[in-house]
Every structure is written in C-alpha cells, then in structure tokens.
PDB file of all heavy atoms in Angstrom:
ATOM      1  N   SER A 832       5.075   0.831  -0.950  1.00 98.00           N
ATOM      2  CA  SER A 832       4.407   0.228   0.048  1.00 98.00           C
ATOM      3  C   SER A 832       5.156   0.423   1.378  1.00 98.00           C
ATOM      4  O   SER A 832       6.174   1.028   1.370  1.00 98.00           O
ATOM      5  CB  SER A 832       4.243  -1.442  -0.174  1.00 98.00           C
ATOM      6  OG  SER A 832       5.525  -1.880  -0.174  1.00 98.00           O
ATOM      7  N   SER A 833       4.498   0.047   2.449  1.00 97.00           N
ATOM      8  CA  SER A 833       5.120   0.363   3.853  1.00 97.00           C
ATOM      9  C   SER A 833       4.831  -0.816   4.841  1.00 97.00           C
ATOM     10  O   SER A 833       3.920  -1.622   4.530  1.00 97.00           O
ATOM     11  CB  SER A 833       4.551   1.612   4.381  1.00 97.00           C
ATOM     12  OG  SER A 833       3.148   1.498   4.672  1.00 97.00           O
ATOM     13  N   ASP A 834       5.715  -0.907   5.680  1.00 96.00           N
ATOM     14  CA  ASP A 834       5.474  -1.882   6.911  1.00 96.00           C
ATOM     15  C   ASP A 834       5.723  -0.989   8.012  1.00 96.00           C
ATOM     16  O   ASP A 834       6.759  -0.776   8.579  1.00 96.00           O
ATOM     17  CB  ASP A 834       6.536  -2.921   6.849  1.00 96.00           C
ATOM     18  CG  ASP A 834       6.212  -3.923   7.901  1.00 96.00           C
ATOM     19  OD1 ASP A 834       5.541  -3.726   8.922  1.00 96.00           O
ATOM     20  OD2 ASP A 834       6.687  -5.123   7.732  1.00 96.00           O
ATOM     21  N   ASN A 835       4.503  -0.641   8.693  1.00 92.00           N
ATOM     22  CA  ASN A 835       4.649   0.349   9.792  1.00 92.00           C
ATOM     23  C   ASN A 835       5.413  -0.129  11.069  1.00 92.00           C
ATOM     24  O   ASN A 835       6.062   0.435  11.753  1.00 92.00           O
ATOM     25  CB  ASN A 835       3.151   0.958  10.158  1.00 92.00           C
ATOM     26  CG  ASN A 835       2.735   2.021   9.280  1.00 92.00           C
ATOM     27  OD1 ASN A 835       1.884   2.848   9.745  1.00 92.00           O
ATOM     28  ND2 ASN A 835       3.162   2.070   8.032  1.00 92.00           N
ATOM     29  N   ALA A 836       5.093  -1.604  11.244  1.00 94.00           N
ATOM     30  CA  ALA A 836       5.776  -2.251  12.334  1.00 94.00           C
ATOM     31  C   ALA A 836       7.330  -2.140  12.184  1.00 94.00           C
ATOM     32  O   ALA A 836       8.058  -2.141  13.279  1.00 94.00           O
ATOM     33  CB  ALA A 836       5.207  -3.624  12.360  1.00 94.00           C
ATOM     34  N   LYS A 837       7.736  -2.114  11.087  1.00 97.00           N
ATOM     35  CA  LYS A 837       9.182  -2.034  10.759  1.00 97.00           C
ATOM     36  C   LYS A 837       9.738  -0.654  10.378  1.00 97.00           C
ATOM     37  O   LYS A 837      10.958  -0.435  10.276  1.00 97.00           O
ATOM     38  CB  LYS A 837       9.662  -2.823   9.637  1.00 97.00           C
ATOM     39  CG  LYS A 837       9.389  -4.381   9.815  1.00 97.00           C
ATOM     40  CD  LYS A 837       9.892  -5.198   8.635  1.00 97.00           C
ATOM     41  CE  LYS A 837       9.716  -6.780   8.812  1.00 97.00           C
ATOM     42  NZ  LYS A 837      10.070  -7.556   7.857  1.00 97.00           N
ATOM     43  N   ASN A 838       8.742   0.426  10.492  1.00 96.00           N
ATOM     44  CA  ASN A 838       9.049   1.790  10.156  1.00 96.00           C
ATOM     45  C   ASN A 838       9.820   1.898   8.897  1.00 96.00           C
ATOM     46  O   ASN A 838      10.717   2.706   8.826  1.00 96.00           O
ATOM     47  CB  ASN A 838       9.767   2.427  11.351  1.00 96.00           C
ATOM     48  CG  ASN A 838       9.410   3.863  11.586  1.00 96.00           C
ATOM     49  OD1 ASN A 838       8.255   4.125  11.609  1.00 96.00           O
ATOM     50  ND2 ASN A 838      10.385   4.660  12.051  1.00 96.00           N
ATOM     51  N   THR A 839       9.237   1.204   7.881  1.00 97.00           N
ATOM     52  CA  THR A 839      10.019   1.099   6.614  1.00 97.00           C
ATOM     53  C   THR A 839       9.035   1.284   5.403  1.00 97.00           C
ATOM     54  O   THR A 839       7.921   0.753   5.494  1.00 97.00           O
ATOM     55  CB  THR A 839      10.807  -0.388   6.542  1.00 97.00           C
ATOM     56  OG1 THR A 839      11.733  -0.385   7.542  1.00 97.00           O
ATOM     57  CG2 THR A 839      11.526  -0.467   5.212  1.00 97.00           C
ATOM     58  N   VAL A 840       9.595   1.848   4.364  1.00 98.00           N
ATOM     59  CA  VAL A 840       8.759   2.059   3.148  1.00 98.00           C
ATOM     60  C   VAL A 840       9.685   1.331   2.002  1.00 98.00           C
ATOM     61  O   VAL A 840      10.947   1.471   2.152  1.00 98.00           O
ATOM     62  CB  VAL A 840       8.751   3.531   2.933  1.00 98.00           C
ATOM     63  CG1 VAL A 840       8.087   3.748   1.509  1.00 98.00           C
ATOM     64  CG2 VAL A 840       7.688   4.187   3.900  1.00 98.00           C
ATOM     65  N   TYR A 841       8.925   0.747   1.147  1.00 98.00           N
ATOM     66  CA  TYR A 841       9.547   0.021   0.059  1.00 98.00           C
ATOM     67  C   TYR A 841       9.190   0.658  -1.281  1.00 98.00           C
ATOM     68  O   TYR A 841       8.147   1.184  -1.422  1.00 98.00           O
ATOM     69  CB  TYR A 841       9.135  -1.458   0.135  1.00 98.00           C
ATOM     70  CG  TYR A 841       9.494  -2.087   1.385  1.00 98.00           C
ATOM     71  CD1 TYR A 841       8.377  -2.191   2.367  1.00 98.00           C
ATOM     72  CD2 TYR A 841      10.792  -2.561   1.751  1.00 98.00           C
ATOM     73  CE1 TYR A 841       8.637  -2.860   3.562  1.00 98.00           C
ATOM     74  CE2 TYR A 841      10.909  -3.238   2.844  1.00 98.00           C
ATOM     75  CZ  TYR A 841       9.969  -3.336   3.833  1.00 98.00           C
ATOM     76  OH  TYR A 841      10.143  -3.904   5.050  1.00 98.00           O
ATOM     77  N   LEU A 842      10.132   0.381  -2.318  1.00 98.00           N
ATOM     78  CA  LEU A 842       9.733   0.606  -3.706  1.00 98.00           C
ATOM     79  C   LEU A 842      10.100  -0.485  -4.586  1.00 98.00           C
ATOM     80  O   LEU A 842      11.367  -0.746  -4.728  1.00 98.00           O
ATOM     81  CB  LEU A 842      10.429   1.932  -4.139  1.00 98.00           C
ATOM     82  CG  LEU A 842      10.076   2.449  -5.491  1.00 98.00           C
ATOM     83  CD1 LEU A 842       8.695   2.924  -5.464  1.00 98.00           C
ATOM     84  CD2 LEU A 842      11.142   3.449  -5.930  1.00 98.00           C
ATOM     85  N   GLN A 843       8.944  -1.242  -4.880  1.00 98.00           N
ATOM     86  CA  GLN A 843       9.260  -2.346  -5.781  1.00 98.00           C
ATOM     87  C   GLN A 843       9.317  -1.858  -7.188  1.00 98.00           C
ATOM     88  O   GLN A 843       8.431  -1.201  -7.671  1.00 98.00           O
ATOM     89  CB  GLN A 843       8.101  -3.328  -5.632  1.00 98.00           C
ATOM     90  CG  GLN A 843       8.204  -4.531  -6.547  1.00 98.00           C
ATOM     91  CD  GLN A 843       9.477  -5.418  -6.312  1.00 98.00           C
ATOM     92  OE1 GLN A 843       9.786  -5.677  -5.165  1.00 98.00           O
ATOM     93  NE2 GLN A 843      10.211  -5.856  -7.272  1.00 98.00           N
ATOM     94  N   MET A 844      10.431  -2.048  -7.929  1.00 98.00           N
ATOM     95  CA  MET A 844      10.643  -1.519  -9.378  1.00 98.00           C
ATOM     96  C   MET A 844      10.765  -2.748 -10.156  1.00 98.00           C
ATOM     97  O   MET A 844      11.671  -3.573 -10.121  1.00 98.00           O
ATOM     98  CB  MET A 844      11.923  -0.675  -9.343  1.00 98.00           C
ATOM     99  CG  MET A 844      12.034   0.315  -8.248  1.00 98.00           C
ATOM    100  SD  MET A 844      13.405   1.494  -8.514  1.00 98.00           S
ATOM    101  CE  MET A 844      14.770   0.251  -8.279  1.00 98.00           C
ATOM    102  N   ASN A 845       9.735  -2.773 -11.074  1.00 98.00           N
ATOM    103  CA  ASN A 845       9.756  -3.864 -12.167  1.00 98.00           C
ATOM    104  C   ASN A 845       9.944  -3.274 -13.502  1.00 98.00           C
ATOM    105  O   ASN A 845       9.791  -2.195 -13.757  1.00 98.00           O
ATOM    106  CB  ASN A 845       8.412  -4.568 -12.062  1.00 98.00           C
ATOM    107  CG  ASN A 845       8.233  -5.321 -10.620  1.00 98.00           C
ATOM    108  OD1 ASN A 845       9.084  -5.868 -10.070  1.00 98.00           O
ATOM    109  ND2 ASN A 845       6.991  -5.536 -10.331  1.00 98.00           N
ATOM    110  N   SER A 846      10.228  -4.195 -14.481  1.00 98.00           N
ATOM    111  CA  SER A 846      10.270  -3.774 -15.857  1.00 98.00           C
ATOM    112  C   SER A 846      11.292  -2.609 -16.016  1.00 98.00           C
ATOM    113  O   SER A 846      10.957  -1.587 -16.660  1.00 98.00           O
ATOM    114  CB  SER A 846       8.976  -3.459 -16.500  1.00 98.00           C
ATOM    115  OG  SER A 846       8.119  -4.455 -16.360  1.00 98.00           O
ATOM    116  N   LEU A 847      12.368  -2.620 -15.263  1.00 98.00           N
ATOM    117  CA  LEU A 847      13.495  -1.461 -15.252  1.00 98.00           C
ATOM    118  C   LEU A 847      13.958  -1.371 -16.712  1.00 98.00           C
ATOM    119  O   LEU A 847      14.244  -2.214 -17.541  1.00 98.00           O
ATOM    120  CB  LEU A 847      14.361  -1.960 -14.260  1.00 98.00           C
ATOM    121  CG  LEU A 847      13.940  -1.715 -12.832  1.00 98.00           C
ATOM    122  CD1 LEU A 847      15.043  -2.451 -11.939  1.00 98.00           C
ATOM    123  CD2 LEU A 847      13.998  -0.175 -12.548  1.00 98.00           C
ATOM    124  N   LYS A 848      14.136  -0.010 -16.886  1.00 98.00           N
ATOM    125  CA  LYS A 848      14.786   0.422 -18.224  1.00 98.00           C
ATOM    126  C   LYS A 848      15.962   1.223 -18.028  1.00 98.00           C
ATOM    127  O   LYS A 848      16.176   1.685 -16.787  1.00 98.00           O
ATOM    128  CB  LYS A 848      13.801   1.418 -18.825  1.00 98.00           C
ATOM    129  CG  LYS A 848      12.286   0.896 -18.992  1.00 98.00           C
ATOM    130  CD  LYS A 848      11.370   1.979 -19.542  1.00 98.00           C
ATOM    131  CE  LYS A 848       9.938   1.448 -19.617  1.00 98.00           C
ATOM    132  NZ  LYS A 848       9.068   2.519 -20.149  1.00 98.00           N
ATOM    133  N   PRO A 849      16.804   1.357 -19.004  1.00 97.00           N
ATOM    134  CA  PRO A 849      18.068   2.142 -18.805  1.00 97.00           C
ATOM    135  C   PRO A 849      17.730   3.492 -18.267  1.00 97.00           C
ATOM    136  O   PRO A 849      18.574   4.138 -17.495  1.00 97.00           O
ATOM    137  CB  PRO A 849      18.768   2.161 -20.151  1.00 97.00           C
ATOM    138  CG  PRO A 849      18.273   0.819 -20.783  1.00 97.00           C
ATOM    139  CD  PRO A 849      16.823   0.523 -20.197  1.00 97.00           C
ATOM    140  N   ASP A 850      16.557   4.063 -18.689  1.00 96.00           N
ATOM    141  CA  ASP A 850      16.245   5.416 -18.287  1.00 96.00           C
ATOM    142  C   ASP A 850      15.911   5.523 -16.734  1.00 96.00           C
ATOM    143  O   ASP A 850      15.863   6.757 -16.275  1.00 96.00           O
ATOM    144  CB  ASP A 850      15.004   5.936 -19.026  1.00 96.00           C
ATOM    145  CG  ASP A 850      15.302   6.426 -20.271  1.00 96.00           C
ATOM    146  OD1 ASP A 850      16.481   6.531 -20.780  1.00 96.00           O
ATOM    147  OD2 ASP A 850      14.301   6.588 -21.221  1.00 96.00           O
ATOM    148  N   ASP A 851      15.807   4.378 -16.120  1.00 98.00           N
ATOM    149  CA  ASP A 851      15.653   4.412 -14.540  1.00 98.00           C
ATOM    150  C   ASP A 851      16.949   4.556 -13.805  1.00 98.00           C
ATOM    151  O   ASP A 851      16.968   4.637 -12.682  1.00 98.00           O
ATOM    152  CB  ASP A 851      14.833   3.014 -14.324  1.00 98.00           C
ATOM    153  CG  ASP A 851      13.544   2.996 -14.789  1.00 98.00           C
ATOM    154  OD1 ASP A 851      12.787   3.872 -14.745  1.00 98.00           O
ATOM    155  OD2 ASP A 851      13.158   1.917 -15.240  1.00 98.00           O
ATOM    156  N   THR A 852      18.174   4.404 -14.526  1.00 98.00           N
ATOM    157  CA  THR A 852      19.348   4.534 -13.889  1.00 98.00           C
ATOM    158  C   THR A 852      19.364   6.018 -13.213  1.00 98.00           C
ATOM    159  O   THR A 852      19.306   6.937 -13.782  1.00 98.00           O
ATOM    160  CB  THR A 852      20.468   4.481 -14.880  1.00 98.00           C
ATOM    161  OG1 THR A 852      20.537   3.122 -15.647  1.00 98.00           O
ATOM    162  CG2 THR A 852      21.813   4.629 -14.249  1.00 98.00           C
ATOM    163  N   ALA A 853      19.778   5.884 -11.878  1.00 98.00           N
ATOM    164  CA  ALA A 853      19.672   6.921 -11.175  1.00 98.00           C
ATOM    165  C   ALA A 853      20.135   6.619  -9.688  1.00 98.00           C
ATOM    166  O   ALA A 853      20.173   5.525  -9.336  1.00 98.00           O
ATOM    167  CB  ALA A 853      18.415   7.660 -11.126  1.00 98.00           C
ATOM    168  N   VAL A 854      20.471   7.682  -8.819  1.00 98.00           N
ATOM    169  CA  VAL A 854      20.579   7.620  -7.414  1.00 98.00           C
ATOM    170  C   VAL A 854      19.092   7.740  -6.831  1.00 98.00           C
ATOM    171  O   VAL A 854      18.502   8.855  -7.171  1.00 98.00           O
ATOM    172  CB  VAL A 854      21.598   8.504  -6.801  1.00 98.00           C
ATOM    173  CG1 VAL A 854      21.518   8.402  -5.341  1.00 98.00           C
ATOM    174  CG2 VAL A 854      22.987   8.361  -7.312  1.00 98.00           C
ATOM    175  N   TYR A 855      18.607   7.000  -5.990  1.00 98.00           N
ATOM    176  CA  TYR A 855      17.326   6.931  -5.560  1.00 98.00           C
ATOM    177  C   TYR A 855      17.305   7.324  -4.099  1.00 98.00           C
ATOM    178  O   TYR A 855      18.128   6.750  -3.294  1.00 98.00           O
ATOM    179  CB  TYR A 855      16.637   5.583  -5.704  1.00 98.00           C
ATOM    180  CG  TYR A 855      16.107   5.348  -7.143  1.00 98.00           C
ATOM    181  CD1 TYR A 855      17.003   5.021  -8.168  1.00 98.00           C
ATOM    182  CD2 TYR A 855      14.747   5.449  -7.443  1.00 98.00           C
ATOM    183  CE1 TYR A 855      16.709   4.841  -9.377  1.00 98.00           C
ATOM    184  CE2 TYR A 855      14.343   5.178  -8.758  1.00 98.00           C
ATOM    185  CZ  TYR A 855      15.298   4.849  -9.658  1.00 98.00           C
ATOM    186  OH  TYR A 855      14.710   4.671 -10.988  1.00 98.00           O
ATOM    187  N   TYR A 856      16.587   8.351  -3.703  1.00 98.00           N
ATOM    188  CA  TYR A 856      16.575   8.804  -2.318  1.00 98.00           C
ATOM    189  C   TYR A 856      15.102   8.697  -1.815  1.00 98.00           C
ATOM    190  O   TYR A 856      14.182   8.923  -2.529  1.00 98.00           O
ATOM    191  CB  TYR A 856      16.908  10.248  -2.354  1.00 98.00           C
ATOM    192  CG  TYR A 856      18.221  10.667  -2.840  1.00 98.00           C
ATOM    193  CD1 TYR A 856      18.315  11.044  -4.362  1.00 98.00           C
ATOM    194  CD2 TYR A 856      19.328  10.795  -1.997  1.00 98.00           C
ATOM    195  CE1 TYR A 856      19.534  11.366  -4.768  1.00 98.00           C
ATOM    196  CE2 TYR A 856      20.571  11.248  -2.521  1.00 98.00           C
ATOM    197  CZ  TYR A 856      20.727  11.402  -3.952  1.00 98.00           C
ATOM    198  OH  TYR A 856      21.937  11.704  -4.392  1.00 98.00           O
ATOM    199  N   CYS A 857      15.031   8.455  -0.589  1.00 98.00           N
ATOM    200  CA  CYS A 857      13.642   8.631   0.238  1.00 98.00           C
ATOM    201  C   CYS A 857      13.788   9.864   1.136  1.00 98.00           C
ATOM    202  O   CYS A 857      14.925  10.274   1.447  1.00 98.00           O
ATOM    203  CB  CYS A 857      13.473   7.500   0.959  1.00 98.00           C
ATOM    204  SG  CYS A 857      14.442   6.982   2.364  1.00 98.00           S
ATOM    205  N   ALA A 858      12.759  10.401   1.281  1.00 98.00           N
ATOM    206  CA  ALA A 858      12.559  11.677   2.112  1.00 98.00           C
ATOM    207  C   ALA A 858      11.241  11.704   2.735  1.00 98.00           C
ATOM    208  O   ALA A 858      10.336  10.942   2.452  1.00 98.00           O
ATOM    209  CB  ALA A 858      12.542  12.844   1.209  1.00 98.00           C
ATOM    210  N   ALA A 859      11.186  12.350   3.944  1.00 98.00           N
ATOM    211  CA  ALA A 859      10.064  12.471   4.871  1.00 98.00           C
ATOM    212  C   ALA A 859       9.526  13.863   5.139  1.00 98.00           C
ATOM    213  O   ALA A 859      10.389  14.841   5.379  1.00 98.00           O
ATOM    214  CB  ALA A 859      10.316  11.745   6.135  1.00 98.00           C
ATOM    215  N   VAL A 860       8.286  14.051   5.259  1.00 98.00           N
ATOM    216  CA  VAL A 860       7.717  15.368   5.678  1.00 98.00           C
ATOM    217  C   VAL A 860       6.457  15.089   6.414  1.00 98.00           C
ATOM    218  O   VAL A 860       5.641  14.187   5.968  1.00 98.00           O
ATOM    219  CB  VAL A 860       7.551  16.284   4.383  1.00 98.00           C
ATOM    220  CG1 VAL A 860       6.661  15.615   3.367  1.00 98.00           C
ATOM    221  CG2 VAL A 860       7.006  17.687   4.824  1.00 98.00           C
ATOM    222  N   ASN A 861       6.198  15.834   7.277  1.00 96.00           N
ATOM    223  CA  ASN A 861       4.995  15.652   8.181  1.00 96.00           C
ATOM    224  C   ASN A 861       3.772  16.566   7.636  1.00 96.00           C
ATOM    225  O   ASN A 861       3.893  17.690   7.549  1.00 96.00           O
ATOM    226  CB  ASN A 861       5.374  16.076   9.602  1.00 96.00           C
ATOM    227  CG  ASN A 861       4.092  15.979  10.476  1.00 96.00           C
ATOM    228  OD1 ASN A 861       3.720  16.849  11.073  1.00 96.00           O
ATOM    229  ND2 ASN A 861       3.517  14.698  10.670  1.00 96.00           N
ATOM    230  N   ASN A 862       2.795  15.791   7.165  1.00 92.00           N
ATOM    231  CA  ASN A 862       1.446  16.302   6.825  1.00 92.00           C
ATOM    232  C   ASN A 862       1.587  17.357   5.749  1.00 92.00           C
ATOM    233  O   ASN A 862       1.038  18.473   6.122  1.00 92.00           O
ATOM    234  CB  ASN A 862       0.727  16.790   8.035  1.00 92.00           C
ATOM    235  CG  ASN A 862      -0.665  16.978   7.786  1.00 92.00           C
ATOM    236  OD1 ASN A 862      -1.303  16.084   6.985  1.00 92.00           O
ATOM    237  ND2 ASN A 862      -1.293  17.849   8.404  1.00 92.00           N
ATOM    238  N   PRO A 863       2.135  17.206   4.660  1.00 96.00           N
ATOM    239  CA  PRO A 863       2.028  18.153   3.496  1.00 96.00           C
ATOM    240  C   PRO A 863       0.704  18.160   2.942  1.00 96.00           C
ATOM    241  O   PRO A 863      -0.142  17.193   3.033  1.00 96.00           O
ATOM    242  CB  PRO A 863       3.184  17.756   2.547  1.00 96.00           C
ATOM    243  CG  PRO A 863       3.131  16.262   2.610  1.00 96.00           C
ATOM    244  CD  PRO A 863       2.722  16.025   4.126  1.00 96.00           C
ATOM    245  N   ALA A 864       0.384  19.205   2.180  1.00 95.00           N
ATOM    246  CA  ALA A 864      -0.748  19.125   1.303  1.00 95.00           C
ATOM    247  C   ALA A 864      -0.622  18.103   0.327  1.00 95.00           C
ATOM    248  O   ALA A 864       0.473  17.826  -0.355  1.00 95.00           O
ATOM    249  CB  ALA A 864      -0.951  20.462   0.557  1.00 95.00           C
ATOM    250  N   TRP A 865      -1.714  17.352   0.008  1.00 96.00           N
ATOM    251  CA  TRP A 865      -1.641  16.123  -0.760  1.00 96.00           C
ATOM    252  C   TRP A 865      -1.945  16.573  -2.241  1.00 96.00           C
ATOM    253  O   TRP A 865      -3.091  16.308  -2.765  1.00 96.00           O
ATOM    254  CB  TRP A 865      -2.477  15.068  -0.219  1.00 96.00           C
ATOM    255  CG  TRP A 865      -2.319  13.623  -1.050  1.00 96.00           C
ATOM    256  CD1 TRP A 865      -3.273  13.277  -2.032  1.00 96.00           C
ATOM    257  CD2 TRP A 865      -1.288  12.778  -0.939  1.00 96.00           C
ATOM    258  NE1 TRP A 865      -2.771  11.988  -2.463  1.00 96.00           N
ATOM    259  CE2 TRP A 865      -1.457  11.678  -1.786  1.00 96.00           C
ATOM    260  CE3 TRP A 865      -0.065  12.691  -0.158  1.00 96.00           C
ATOM    261  CZ2 TRP A 865      -0.533  10.617  -1.988  1.00 96.00           C
ATOM    262  CZ3 TRP A 865       0.821  11.801  -0.280  1.00 96.00           C
ATOM    263  CH2 TRP A 865       0.517  10.823  -1.242  1.00 96.00           C
TER     264      TRP A 865
END
C-alpha cells in the first residue's frame, strides 16, 4: 500500500513463515512496462 502524502510505501506482512527470513529492500523506477 502507499500513502502519497507521506511519500511512503508499506508492506504489511502477515502469517510470516521461516522461509520469509531475508533482507527486504524497496526500489523505485519511473514508468516501467507493467
């Protein structure tokens, strides 16, 4: 999800599993092919 007023994107992670263990990164790109 996002809050444009705060210029912030969120990732709500539920039902977490040990396989989800990782370093999580966010990244940005302008207008890629969807």
Side-chain angles (χ1 to χ4, degrees):
S832 63
S833 63
D834 185 337
N835 279 208
K837 296 181 179 179
N838 220 38
T839 298
V840 172
Y841 305 97
L842 187 68
Q843 179 67 45
M844 307 189 298
N845 297 328
S846 302
L847 284 162
K848 306 173 181 179
D850 284 349
D851 295 318
T852 295
V854 177
Y855 285 72
Y856 302 86
C857 65
V860 59
N861 181 238
N862 197 33
W865 188 255

